[in-house]
């Protein structure tokens, strides 16, 4: 959550100011606030484990590319955003009503956590959107480059690491005014200790200089600039895709090939374009609303704040949906995920059998079943002609099965394929 982005919920609860409860938009906000906690938890409980899966798959040795490295850190950022959102949603939306103001809910500890959540999620969300920009830039540079080979591959990974470090460092510096603009105070005229966030007076003549500068910097460098860069490089990627399709169509026409179906474009590029479109849908409207909040009186409290929970859930869905995109659009991602699950299953099977002391019995039972199967299917046909050959077949098959059960690494080695790379810089992923 961030104060000027994701979770700008029921403003009167945090600052003590009042909204116009007769406004239709505010009425919708109050109604949705009753279920927002449960909806956001469902999204987080889906997004957190799936982002862990993304990280696990993308960090496999044979999956290491510059694009995958950026996608990995994007998954880390998205996961951290949702991890900090869970306690916030439970306490401020489920355990207590979203419009409730009390000493039990607004304790100093929980309000300090709220400030941490505001600033930390603002940081992670800014890192995510700039990582999205770097995806577009790196992909476009890769498509324009004709260089190949292991040395080029290593250089691209090094450049991606440098870009990630610069993005994280610059995002921290960018968010310093946001860190300084939020603080706590005791709500006046109350008999109990109720802590609230100091009113920033956004959209009023009383706004402080640091808050005005914070909103200008944030809207420019965390919203409009990255969205503009995504639009520019997204357009360049679309143009590159169109040129590639035209070149391939001309080549096939010269070869006399009749095309009965449209040519497939690079799924990697299409996937990255979808990721950028999702960022634009989530971030660009927020940037516009922030600018309007700066220059239009009461726009922040009357429009931006009631839409806070809606912007929250859109951002959370954007953080959680990448796993679905990867599985639906990339075969190598699915293959690697299946391999990991099979490997973990074999290791668990071996550990369970060893722990319970049943390894020998399982192997013996498998050998007996295998022998019966071979005896029923093979022996009746060939034993009269070549009894020695039949015995050899049974011995070889049984030995293979027994070696697999005893040493699962044998199976794991057989299913490894070190030639495949998801989201490769130069080749299309089918």
């Amino acid at each position: 959550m961030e104060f000027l982005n994701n979770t700008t919920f029921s403003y009167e609860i945090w600052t003590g100011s009042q909204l116009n409860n007769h406004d239709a938009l505010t009425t919708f906000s109050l109604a949705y606030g009753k279920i927002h906690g449960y909806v956001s938890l469902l999204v987080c409980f889906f997004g957190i484990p799936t982002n862990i899966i993304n990280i696990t798959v993308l960090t496999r040795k044979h999956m290491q590319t510059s694009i995958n490295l950026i996608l990995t850190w994007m998954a880390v950022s998205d996961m951290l955003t949702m991890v900090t959102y869970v306690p916030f949603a439970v306490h401020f939306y489920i355990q207590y009503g979203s419009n409730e103001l009390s000493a039990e809910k607004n304790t100093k500890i929980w309000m300090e956590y709220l400030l941490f959540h505001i600033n930390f999620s603002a940081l992670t969300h800014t890192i995510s959107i700039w990582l999205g920009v770097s995806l577009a830039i790196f992909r476009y540079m890769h498509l324009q480059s004709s260089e190949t080979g292991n040395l080029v591959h290593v250089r691209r990974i090094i450049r991606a690491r440098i870009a990630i470090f610069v993005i994280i460092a610059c995002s921290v510096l960018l968010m310093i005014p946001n860190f300084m603009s939020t603080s706590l105070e005791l709500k006046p005229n109350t008999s109990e200790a109720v802590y609230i966030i100091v009113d920033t007076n956004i959209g009023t003549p009383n706004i402080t200089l640091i808050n005005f500068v914070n909103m200008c910097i944030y809207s420019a460098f965390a919203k409009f600039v990255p969205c503009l860069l995504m639009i520019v490089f997204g357009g360049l990627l679309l143009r590159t895709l169109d040129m590639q399709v035209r070149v391939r169509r001309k080549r096939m026409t010269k070869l006399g090939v009749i095309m009965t179906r449209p040519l497939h474009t690079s799924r990697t590029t299409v996937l990255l374009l979808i990721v950028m479109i999702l960022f634009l849908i989530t971030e660009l409207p927020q940037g516009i609303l922030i600018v309007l909040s700066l220059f239009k009186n009461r726009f922040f409290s009357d429009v931006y704040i009631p839409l806070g929970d809606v912007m929250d859930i859109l951002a959370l869905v954007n953080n959680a949906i990448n796993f679905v995109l990867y599985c639906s659009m990339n075969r190598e991602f699915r293959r690697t995920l299946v391999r990991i699950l099979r490997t973990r299953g074999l290791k668990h099977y071996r550990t369970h059998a060893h722990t319970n002391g049943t390894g020998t019995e399982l192997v013996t039972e498998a050998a007996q079943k295998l022998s019966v199967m071979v005896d029923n299917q093979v022996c009746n046909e060939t034993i009269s002609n070549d009894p020695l050959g039949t015995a050899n077949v049974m011995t070889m098959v049984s030995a293979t099965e027994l070696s697999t059960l005893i040493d699962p690494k044998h199976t794991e080695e057989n299913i490894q394929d070190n030639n495949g790379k998801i989201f490769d810089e130069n080749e299309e992923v089918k």
Side-chain angles (χ1 to χ4, degrees):
M1 184 214 79
E2 54 190 89
F3 186 60
L4 295 176
N5 182 40
N6 293 357
T7 312
T8 42
F9 38 77
S10 304
Y11 198 51
E12 71 274 14
I13 300 303
W14 318 123
T15 65
S17 61
Q18 296 295 323
L19 296 179
N20 180 14
N21 291 330
H22 299 289
D23 181 77
L25 189 59
T26 304
T27 303
F28 164 78
S29 176
L30 296 176
Y32 174 71
K34 297 178 181 179
I35 64 171
H36 173 72
Y38 300 98
V39 176
S40 59
L41 280 185
L42 288 176
V43 176
C44 289
F45 288 156
F46 173 79
I48 292 173
T50 53
N51 273 291
I52 294 175
I53 293 174
N54 292 341
I55 296 169
T56 303
V57 173
L58 295 175
T59 52
R60 298 296 94 183
K61 184 176 181 180
H62 71 283
M63 306 282 282
Q64 293 180 0
T65 66
S66 57
I67 298 296
N68 286 356
L69 184 61
I70 297 173
L71 290 174
T72 300
W73 280 96
M74 183 182 293
V76 172
S77 179
D78 293 342
M79 181 188 65
L80 292 177
T81 301
M82 289 184 284
V83 166
T84 61
Y85 201 95
V86 170
F88 161 76
V90 171
H91 182 78
F92 290 101
Y93 282 87
I94 297 178
Q95 186 176 1
Y96 298 94
S98 61
N99 299 302
E100 178 182 345
L101 182 65
S102 64
E104 292 78 15
K105 177 181 179 181
N106 295 65
T107 62
K108 185 176 182 180
I109 294 178
W110 273 107
M111 294 303 289
E112 286 178 346
Y113 177 80
L114 177 62
L115 287 183
F116 164 77
H117 178 51
I118 287 170
N119 295 318
F120 183 77
S121 61
L123 175 62
T124 55
H125 202 72
T126 302
I127 292 173
S128 289
I129 190 172
W130 277 103
L131 288 175
V133 174
S134 66
L135 281 176
I137 296 175
F138 269 76
R139 183 59 181 171
Y140 178 73
M141 293 174 59
H142 295 164
L143 291 178
Q144 297 300 313
S145 175
S146 59
E147 297 179 335
T148 58
N150 292 331
L151 183 59
V152 175
H153 176 70
V154 172
R155 287 176 179 175
R156 288 173 175 173
I157 292 180
I158 294 175
R159 291 170 186 169
R161 291 174 178 172
I162 295 174
I164 293 169
F165 175 80
V166 171
I167 287 173
I168 295 175
C170 291
S171 296
V172 173
L173 295 176
L174 176 65
M175 297 309 300
I176 289 179
N178 195 72
F179 302 156
M180 299 173 61
S181 64
T182 52
S183 59
L184 297 178
E185 67 177 1
L186 282 171
K187 181 175 175 57
N189 303 323
T190 56
S191 58
E192 298 178 312
V194 178
Y195 287 86
I196 58 176
I197 294 178
V198 176
D199 194 345
T200 55
N201 296 312
I202 297 173
T204 68
N206 298 325
I207 186 172
T208 61
L209 178 61
I210 187 172
N211 288 330
F212 183 82
V213 172
N214 173 45
M215 291 195 69
C216 292
I217 293 176
Y218 186 81
S219 61
F221 294 100
K223 300 298 177 185
F224 285 112
V225 173
C227 287
L228 178 63
L229 290 175
M230 284 187 182
I231 293 174
V232 171
F233 283 96
L236 292 174
L237 288 175
L238 285 175
R239 179 186 176 187
T240 303
L241 281 178
D242 182 65
M243 292 177 61
Q244 289 178 345
V245 171
R246 291 184 180 183
V247 170
R248 292 170 61 188
R249 184 177 290 110
K250 288 181 180 179
R251 290 177 180 176
M252 297 179 71
T253 302
K254 290 181 180 179
L255 294 174
V257 178
I258 300 176
M259 295 174 292
T260 59
R261 61 181 64 183
L263 292 175
H264 293 289
T265 57
S266 172
R267 295 188 180 183
T268 300
T269 304
V270 174
L271 175 60
L272 298 184
L273 286 172
I274 294 176
V275 172
M276 287 186 288
I277 291 173
L278 292 175
F279 269 117
L280 290 175
I281 293 174
T282 306
E283 306 301 330
L284 189 57
Q286 294 181 18
I288 296 173
L289 292 176
I290 291 175
V291 172
L292 292 175
S293 299
L294 272 177
F295 300 103
K296 190 173 181 180
N297 188 32
R298 292 193 59 82
F299 185 88
F300 182 75
S301 60
D302 292 346
V303 178
Y304 189 90
I305 295 302
L307 291 176
D309 290 339
V310 176
M311 291 187 288
D312 257 9
I313 198 64
L314 289 177
L316 290 175
V317 171
N318 188 27
N319 292 339
I321 201 173
N322 286 339
F323 174 78
V324 178
L325 295 177
Y326 301 161
C327 286
S328 61
M329 298 190 64
N330 194 274
R331 181 185 303 171
E332 188 61 30
F333 184 92
R334 297 193 298 269
R335 290 173 57 188
T336 305
L337 177 59
V338 171
R339 291 172 184 174
I340 293 174
L341 294 176
R342 288 177 178 175
T343 303
R344 298 287 173 86
L346 287 172
K347 290 182 179 179
H348 176 75
Y349 177 80
R350 181 177 62 175
T351 303
H352 180 74
H354 176 74
T355 303
N356 292 280
T358 58
T360 304
E361 289 80 5
L362 291 173
V363 171
T364 303
E365 182 181 355
Q368 292 175 351
K369 291 181 178 180
L370 182 62
S371 298
V372 172
M373 178 188 68
V374 174
D375 181 69
N376 292 335
Q377 296 181 357
V378 180
C379 290
N380 290 335
E381 299 179 1
T382 61
I383 192 169
S384 59
N385 298 325
D386 189 4
L388 182 60
T390 302
N392 290 335
V393 170
M394 293 174 60
T395 303
M396 292 174 62
V397 176
S398 300
T400 303
E401 182 68 14
L402 290 175
S403 65
T404 302
L405 291 172
I406 296 172
D407 186 11
K409 292 183 178 179
H410 176 75
T411 303
E412 181 179 357
E413 292 174 357
N414 288 339
I415 64 175
Q416 292 298 327
D417 180 9
N418 295 326
N419 296 324
K421 286 186 175 63
I422 187 175
F423 310 137
D424 186 72
E425 293 95 336
N426 296 312
E427 298 181 0
E428 293 185 12
V429 180
K430 297 182 179 179

